[in-house]
Amino acid sequence: MGNDAVNKLLILNGPNLNLLGTREPETYGTITLDEIENDCAAHASEQGFTVDFRQTNTEGTLVDWLQEASGTAIGIILNAAAYTHTSIAIHDAVAAIEVPVIEVHLSNVFAREDFRHHSFVSDVAAGVIIGLGAQGYILAIDALASMLRNQS
Ligand code: DQA
């Protein structure tokens, strides 16, 4: 693993999360993805980590980024958004890599439509944080920090 990977957390966001702030505020609140990124970077740096925070609307790009994480990041936080509920390719990518993945959702998907109740990510994730809003990303950073400390 290269030196860059030693302290880097990769935070990946899927489709429509770029619209946070104006998208269905009754479900997702009014925080923007830029604000979540800033909060994550600040919190991660207190724990000695850097953050590479990304968003895409494209399924294959998420697969590429997950694959590239091997050797370039030590932990991943993944909000695959709607692809969570549809993507065998993302399931397979998470299963294929050694880097631990924490699945995060802002909303409580179990309190929503039935089609959101199944995740193709959860069974291959190291852990899942659901329904706690943007705080879920912060809790995921803490969970990865603690997991990674215990490993070393
Ligand atoms: C989401 C929940 C998904 O069901 C939805 O498609 C999203 C966002 C969340 O963070 O609550 O786009 O992943």
Side-chain angles (χ1 to χ4, degrees), residues 37-102:
E37 175 173 3
N38 289 338
D39 290 349
C40 285
H43 191 74
S45 99
E46 285 166 17
Q47 314 254 0
F49 296 108
T50 61
V51 156
D52 184 350
F53 192 99
R54 305 180 189 182
Q55 188 275 333
T56 178
N57 291 327
T58 306
E59 181 179 10
T61 302
L62 282 173
V63 171
D64 288 341
W65 287 345
L66 287 162
Q67 290 184 12
E68 287 163 16
S70 289
T72 64
I74 51 167
I76 301 173
I77 295 166
L78 173 63
N79 184 350
Y83 291 134
T84 305
H85 315 300
T86 61
S87 178
I88 297 168
I90 290 173
H91 166 101
D92 286 352
V94 173
I97 60 176
E98 297 288 326
V99 188
V101 175
I102 307 274

Side-chain angles (χ1 to χ4, degrees), residues 15-17 23 28 79-85 104-109 112 116 137:
N16 301 305
L17 291 170
R23 174 191 182 198
Y28 299 113
N79 184 350
Y83 291 134
T84 305
H85 315 300
V104 168
H105 298 285
L106 296 154
S107 64
N108 179 357
V109 287
R112 302 180 63 193
R116 297 185 204 275
Y137 287 76

Side-chain angles (χ1 to χ4, degrees), residues 17-31:
L17 291 170
N18 54 313
L19 300 180
L20 286 179
T22 54
R23 174 191 182 198
E24 300 179 77
E26 64 288 357
T27 301
Y28 299 113
T30 52
I31 195 165

